[in-house]
Amino acid sequence: MHVSLTPEESAFRDEVRAFFRDEVPRDIHDKQARHIALEPEDQVRFQKILYEKGWAAPNWPVEHGGTGWTLVQKHIFETEMANSNMPRIVPFGLGMVGPVIYSFGNDEQKQRFLPDILQSNVWWCQGYSEPGSGSDLASLKTRAELDGDEYVVNGTKIWTTLAQYADWIFCLVRTSTGTARKQEGISFLLIDMQTPGVSVKPIITIDGSHEVNEVHFENVRVPAANLVGEEGKGWTYGKVLLQHERTGTAGVARTQYRLRQLRDQAGQSVRGSEPLCKDRNFMRRIAAVEVELKALEYTELRTLAAVSAGKAPGAESSILKFKGTELQQAVDELFVEAAGYYALPYVPEQYAPGFPDDQRIGAGTETDSASHYFNFRKASIYGGSNEIQKNIVAKHVLGL
Amino acid sequence: MDFSLSEFQGMLADSVGKFVDNEYSFARRMANADSSTGYGEDTWASFCELGWTALPFPEADGGLDGGPLETMLLMQQFGRGLVVEPYLANIVLAGGVLCRAANAAQKARWLQPIIAGDLQAALAIAEPQNRYDHAAVETRAVRDGDTWVIDGKKSVVFNGGNADLFVIPAESDGISLFALASDTPGIDVQRYRTVDGSTAADITLSGVRVDDGALLGAAGEGLATFDAVIDDAILAVAAEAVGIMQALTDKTVEYCKNRVQFGVPIGSFQALQHRMVDMLTASEQSYSLLLWATMACADRTDEAKRAVSAIKYQVGTAGKLVGQEAIQLHGGMGMSWEVDVGHYFKRLTVIGQILGNADWHLDRLLD
């Protein structure tokens, strides 16, 4: 057992670090540093740079465009991406539907969809939750009825993140009713957002942002060729996807990076005042979160080590999800507290492209702290709420 | 970076695990703790035969050349089995000082008999006034001709009531480390039992006179050794705590699957399920951090010092949660002396209380 990097691993780390520093355009670095929201084009541009380098999908199998990295290399990549303050990869294509298609799709689907996902040519979104089906996802009601060689889809999906930019949506739909278990009638369907009958309605969240949507399907005709795997097996495929999603949402490296930013911020004096880092109470809370993050980093590494030894990510990934999001939220809270009164100003235009820095209210990005805090209350709700994760661990790990 | 065990490490973990499962029942543990010494002398003899008392020492000293990782593997199993034998006191603490600071003659006289099981030893860590700051030593060693005269008081010395040999840190223009036979005139030993079923002693040194043969290493230069041994001991008890937390989580889950109330196993109640998931999480998070901290120390990275404080903070807080929840979920059974759970809880409590508690180590992380 060793914690140190081998010379090869150190060289890889340096290569990754230099890549993010030198190959990602300055304007993207700059927007990230100033908390300016990225335009969809920025996001795609960034992901295409990764693709050109061959690094778009480290977790994919090599034959579909993966990198063939060891788990340590993947860990280094994630850490360096966070430490370089790079944008988050939009997960719906590369992290979610891609793995479902290469695991369960047919050859035609793989050829048709995977290259565009890998190259970020197509923007995907996820159609899982419905107005009446949140934690009880398997109760979903969106119907897909076979009519010749097409499915006719009717229903509503909700909390659909970034659907306003999406070209395609992957959906869990009900293809048969009255099955013994409600999970059995569910299928996994790929739907072109341009198909007649698909409409997107924005939902504004408590931070004032437009991230999520309602997606309505009214007699939407979808070729049967867009069904992934077998009809009625969609729940199984969807669960695999959720386990990938949960492993990914721990976000340990990014939270560690943000905590270091908070430390730097706390070290700065404002107009000659004693900096916040002299407040030992505050610094003890930072230290406590730091310890838990280090522990979670190693819990994640242990999980990944099991995966690289050939096991699928199991129910342990639920621990990563709820612990990881708890810690993200803990850091968000600390940022708000660090901002003091300057957590109050609600001036979203300050974080839109083109707003002059010298006209910003407050120092740095402290007026963004509350919005971030409000927005990330979602983290313990999405991907299966943290309470649902605990149910999963109780049932599948503890056998209760 | 690599999580795999060497062949030796795998065999070690396996053999200690088997001993705990097959040879060290809870009944035997309680009988050992209730004996006059507070541990099983035959059990200790088995540890010597199995080579475990030689584990962390270099081959040149008759050891097996183990390091922090090997001690971790052993102590984690000891935690799982709630082993009461004074491995920490003899091997990690007193043995750790002798191994680092003693000369060849001193090692032959004291370290070899410890490894062989012929000598019981103890390191005096605390004094009544210094709480967790083990370097703030007020016991004094004063030079008088060719001899040293030592005066002071040492608190709650683990295994102190059984020890033939005390390792005593004393102030003499820096910290000096002395090896004193327990029957040296001027040493008064007040022996008692501790809440975790173990034993300890308060020791008063009044005009204790020894020559240079008792001095371990150079006079006034013992602090580095003292610090290093305390760090080793923190890693060792952290591993023990992780083993205890794993055992308590398993036992609690098992109990809740079998205990029927309102016509159903109480483990079917979501309020209790989530609490057991929290226990599992605390236990798994502690194990993860233990791996990092122990590897950081074994590899001597820049983070080693912080890692030691981080893991002690972690097992302090997580141990409290797991221990208290284990009692709560066992209900009245958890309160019973007859049932093992309460004894695991008490040992976890003691681990949280020694070598710097969670607050102490969180504070150290700020500097």
Side-chain angles (χ1 to χ4, degrees), chain A residues 1-6 9 71-72 75 263 279-281 283-285 287-302 305 319 322-323 326-327 386-391 393-395 397-400, chain B residues 1-6 9 69 72-73 249 253 256-257 267-268 270 272-274 276-278 280-281 284-289 291-292 295-296 298-299 301 303 306 310-311 313-314 358-359 362-367:
Chain A
M1 282 197 269
H2 290 286
V3 69
S4 310
L5 298 183
T6 64
E9 289 164 350
L71 98 91
V72 176
H75 179 67
R263 252 184 205 290
D279 176 349
R280 289 184 78 84
N281 281 328
M283 296 311 284
R284 284 166 68 92
R285 290 169 60 196
V289 173
E290 219 163 32
V291 171
E292 286 208 78
L293 277 168
K294 181 55 88 173
L296 196 64
E297 181 188 340
Y298 275 74
T299 300
E300 185 169 48
L301 281 168
R302 285 169 53 207
I319 292 182
F322 69 72
K323 203 68 205 175
E326 278 173 17
L327 293 171
N386 284 11
E387 289 70 27
I388 291 292
Q389 306 305 326
K390 289 189 178 184
N391 289 351
V393 175
K395 185 171 176 198
V397 180
L398 299 180
L400 290 165
Chain B
M1 188 183 278
D2 171 16
F3 286 167
S4 60
L5 296 181
S6 71
Q9 289 167 342
L69 288 162
M72 176 191 86
L73 295 168
T249 304
V253 169
C256 291
K257 282 179 185 171
S268 64
Q270 193 180 42
L272 302 194
Q273 287 180 351
H274 285 196
M276 285 183 267
V277 172
D278 291 343
L280 175 77
T281 305
E284 289 292 311
Q285 284 278 86
S286 300
Y287 179 51
S288 296
L289 199 74
L291 288 175
W292 166 68
M295 289 191 288
D299 287 356
T301 71
E303 290 177 303
R306 289 174 63 76
I311 187 61
Y313 164 75
Q314 172 69 23
D359 271 354
L362 186 59
D363 217 57
R364 279 198 359 169
L365 287 171
L366 304 194
D367 302 325

Side-chain angles (χ1 to χ4, degrees), chain B residues 158-206:
Chain B
F158 313 143
N159 203 36
N162 299 316
D164 310 300
L165 181 80
F166 292 121
V167 176
I168 302 287
E171 173 61 36
S172 64
D173 202 11
I175 288 174
S176 302
L177 301 164
F178 292 93
L180 307 178
S182 59
D183 56 3
T184 309
I187 297 182
D188 178 64
V189 178
Q190 196 183 354
R191 175 204 164 90
Y192 44 81
R193 290 192 177 273
T194 51
V195 292
D196 56 347
S198 189
T199 69
D202 276 22
I203 298 169
T204 308
L205 304 119
S206 315

